[in-house]
Amino acid sequence: MFDALIRFIREQYRSEGFIPLHAPVFAGREQAYVGDTIASTFVSSVGAYVDRFERDMAAYTGSPRAVATVNGTAALHMALQLVGVGFGDLVVTQPLTFVATCNAIAYCGAEPVFVDVERRTLGLCPRALETWLTENARLDDDGLCRAKADGRIIRACVPMHTFGHPADLDGLADVCRRWRLALVEDAAESLGSFYKGRHTGTLGEVGTLSFNGNKIITTGGGGMILAGEALGARAKHLTTTAKQPHPYEYVHDEVGYNYRLPNLNAALGCAQLEQLEAFIACKRELAARYAAHLAGSDLQFVVEPADCRSNYWLNAVICESGAQRDALLQATNGAEVMTRPIWALMNRLPIYAHCRKGDLSNAEWLEARVVNLPSSVILPAA
Ligand SMILES: *Cc1c(COP(=O)(O)O)cnc(C)c1O
């Protein structure tokens, strides 16, 4: 079983050795830029590469402002704080995500509410969101959305663009506008993915990216907050210890965070960003070959939603059953070809088991069936 798939993957990577799920590729000016920071001694919190990385990322995504952070979780923590998420608030998100999405909510003293995803996008479902809100929330005269059960404020909604495939942002934006929820996009996995021509992470009030080692580009560790001018300026202030500009005095006007990205990491990011479009072209070609190879088989290859350009960060298939999923995981990993099941649903983790939730049928269905296939960038042979 799955011998043909394993052979196919080995052919793509031209390797008989261990094939990882996603390895970084450094084929550009990484050494030169990182070397610059060492030569200049500006390796830490001040330096030209941080400014450049933020400018380049704002230009690439079309976001008015881009603020670099130490990691994607910190970026999301700040994004939630920027839209006013505070102690005791509720924040609607999807149960099918990486734990960082929920942890960032918890760092604010808030609590996630789990609403179902769509099978088509693997992202938060606007209809499930509407249904949960209709049954469990009310819109008060002060313009705030509150839980009917206990009056807690439902402040924001955090969809996640799973494996790089954009969620239904028009649908979600419409529900959020009507229910007065701030839309915060966890675009950690979707750098380079566009929804109807607009970069993911730029359609809500705030969006966040991650440059962890396993993402489409990496800074070692790092993240980015995408926002408009006003929230962007405030993000910069909050992530840099809330220090008022002054030539020598230390005046901090609120409890800020030491969340800024070191120059050393930003240098790596600048070199990686220069290669992003080439990486995406490689990934989209690999995805097309997977799709062709699997056409007609009982593994359903996950494709980008209509009107979107996905970065195809992690390729995925939907198995026919949980038993087939287990067989696929065993056969591939046993043959040193790394594959992985999708995350266990967040509502199953003891830390989030007490949280409110709607019907999660699609998330449960996908949880039992989705497997990621090796997805590292394969550069054309020189
Ligand atoms: C990677 C990731 C993050 C952020 O991760 P960091 O490791 O903190 O950069 C957040 N959400 C999702 C869905 C992710 O995949």
Side-chain angles (χ1 to χ4, degrees):
M1 279 284 271
F2 307 115
D3 287 349
L5 177 59
I6 291 167
R7 208 171 330 110
F8 170 81
I9 293 169
R10 291 207 171 283
E11 278 164 17
Q12 304 309 306
Y13 287 95
R14 303 177 206 104
S15 164
E16 291 305 314
F18 174 75
I19 297 177
L21 195 68
H22 199 285
V25 169
F26 303 115
R29 294 183 225 178
E30 287 87 351
Q31 301 261 3
Y33 292 177
V34 172
D36 280 350
T37 69
I38 296 168
S40 72
T41 77
F42 285 94
V43 294
S44 190
S45 46
V46 178
Y49 280 109
V50 175
D51 299 334
R52 175 170 159 189
F53 192 38
E54 291 180 341
R55 270 200 318 273
D56 290 354
M57 197 57 82
Y60 178 80
T61 58
S63 178
R65 285 288 297 261
V67 177
T69 59
V70 283
N71 58 53
T73 312
L76 196 53
H77 177 199
M78 289 300 93
L80 292 166
Q81 199 153 316
L82 289 173
V83 300
V85 173
F87 191 82
D89 288 350
L90 300 174
V91 175
V92 182
T93 191
Q94 57 200 66
L96 197 70
T97 186
F98 178 58
V99 70
T101 314
C102 299
N103 287 347
I105 294 169
Y107 298 165
C108 297
E111 206 175 278
V113 173
F114 300 115
V115 162
D116 209 5
V117 296
E118 291 183 274
R119 290 192 193 183
R120 182 178 66 88
T121 63
L122 313 181
L124 195 63
C125 174
R127 290 164 305 284
L129 177 62
E130 177 86 52
T131 300
W132 189 85
L133 289 167
T134 303
E135 286 169 6
N136 297 285
R138 59 168 203 260
L139 201 51
D140 284 341
D141 291 340
D142 58 5
L144 291 171
C145 179
R146 288 189 175 81
K148 282 180 194 164
D150 54 6
R152 283 172 72 172
I153 297 169
I154 307 164
R155 193 79 67 173
C157 169
V158 185
M160 195 278 283
H161 304 299
T162 308
F163 306 146
H165 301 304
D168 178 357
L169 285 166
D170 278 350
L172 291 168
D174 174 57
V175 180
C176 287
R177 186 176 39 74
R178 284 186 288 102
W179 287 89
R180 308 278 185 100
L181 305 183
L183 179 58
V184 175
E185 292 173 72
D186 183 349
E189 305 183 352
S190 63
L191 174 62
S193 298
F194 290 78
Y195 177 86
K196 297 187 179 172
R198 295 163 73 188
H199 195 279
T200 51
T202 67
L203 286 93
E205 266 96 323
V206 197
T208 59
L209 305 172
S210 166
F211 314 116
N212 190 38
N214 63 339
K215 297 302 201 288
I216 190 159
I217 68 167
T218 186
T219 57
M224 191 76 77
I225 301 164
L226 305 176
E229 289 295 345
L231 284 186
R234 179 145 170 70
K236 192 73 190 171
H237 187 63
L238 262 185
T239 54
T240 53
T241 68
K243 184 181 180 297
Q244 288 186 349
H246 191 281
Y248 47 84
E249 299 281 6
Y250 292 97
V251 183
H252 304 269
D253 53 23
E254 62 187 307
V255 178
Y257 296 82
N258 180 15
Y259 273 1
R260 67 188 131 195
L261 184 72
N263 201 43
L264 193 72
N265 302 79
L268 193 59
C270 288
Q272 287 265 284
L273 185 53
E274 290 173 352
Q275 300 162 80
L276 177 60
E277 279 300 315
F279 287 175
I280 292 172
C282 294
K283 282 176 163 290
R284 292 182 59 84
E285 266 179 44
L286 176 62
R289 290 198 298 271
Y290 268 125
H293 178 79
L294 294 168
S297 84
D298 40 18
L299 300 179
Q300 184 197 329
F301 187 72
V302 176
V303 295
E304 65 194 348
D307 302 322
C308 295
R309 185 194 78 161
S310 173
N311 66 4
Y312 278 95
W313 169 57
L314 279 191
N315 292 295
V317 289
I318 302 176
C319 297
E320 280 187 329
S321 65
Q324 189 187 44
R325 178 199 86 142
D326 294 344
L328 173 60
L329 288 167
Q330 266 209 321
T332 46
N333 286 291
E336 303 265 279
V337 170
M338 186 174 170
T339 61
R340 213 175 43 180
I342 201 166
W343 314 279
L345 301 188
M346 289 301 113
N347 52 292
R348 298 198 198 284
L349 298 179
I351 43 176
Y352 299 117
H354 64 284
C355 297
R356 291 158 222 232
K357 56 181 190 286
D359 171 73
L360 302 180
S361 308
N362 288 335
E364 287 162 4
W365 188 87
L366 289 164
E367 179 193 34
R369 289 169 180 79
V370 174
V371 171
N372 290 122
L373 303 177
S375 302
S376 310
V377 165
I378 303 168
L379 292 174

